[in-house]
Amino acid sequence: MDELIGDLPGRSNDLAFDEPWELRAFALVVAAHEAGGYAWAEFQQELIASIREWEESADDTDASWSYYQHWVRALESVLAGRGAVDRNAVDRRTCDVLATPKNRNHHEPHYEPIAVDPARTTSIPEAP
């Protein structure tokens, strides 16, 4: 993993993330790559394309820059290109999550650790 993260801009020796979701996005991308889901260069190309698209569409006053939003978009693009995710389903789920109040279920204690079901071994299909 060190060789994958060594060249991240602004993070040469510091893996601090500004928001918890950025760490999750980072972990998802690296885990999917290490699981053999795609070549790292394929992800890098999609990341470059996402950043380029943002740069071409944003004006000088646009403060919406988020490096890890581009990670998420690049991952979605790679997985959609392989038929592993349905972009429309991702968009629908994103709308559902964004419509949920921020503090939903935060008033209830959650004592059980999050477990990953070892029976779920969905593989990422090869690129067409």
Side-chain angles (χ1 to χ4, degrees):
M1 184 165 85
D2 288 341
E3 65 271 9
L4 296 176
I5 61 174
D7 294 333
L8 290 177
R11 306 206 189 264
S12 59
N13 292 321
D14 180 7
L15 282 181
F17 296 89
D18 294 331
E19 300 289 339
W21 70 266
E22 294 175 346
L23 174 59
R24 289 191 292 271
F26 176 84
L28 280 171
V29 168
V30 173
H33 163 68
E34 289 185 346
Y38 48 83
W40 191 250
E42 184 180 1
F43 171 76
Q44 287 176 311
Q45 291 304 310
E46 293 296 338
L47 180 60
I48 290 168
S50 177
I51 292 171
R52 182 180 306 124
E53 182 179 326
W54 183 87
E55 288 175 340
E56 291 173 357
S57 65
D59 63 29
D60 293 339
T61 60
D62 189 346
S64 66
W65 167 259
S66 170
Y67 183 66
Y68 286 99
Q69 282 186 351
H70 294 289
W71 273 62
V72 172
R73 287 189 188 116
L75 178 61
E76 288 174 2
S77 183
V78 168
L79 297 179
R82 292 172 172 268
V85 297
D86 176 350
R87 283 186 185 265
N88 292 329
V90 170
D91 289 344
R92 284 191 304 272
R93 182 66 182 132
T94 300
C95 289
D96 290 346
V97 169
L98 291 175
T100 304
K102 287 186 175 183
N103 292 327
R104 183 173 181 246
N105 292 335
H106 286 203
H107 61 285
E108 301 170 4
H110 298 273
Y111 299 112
E112 297 298 322
I114 296 172
V116 177
D117 184 353
R120 296 184 71 189
T121 57
T122 305
S123 62
I124 299 171
E126 294 290 322

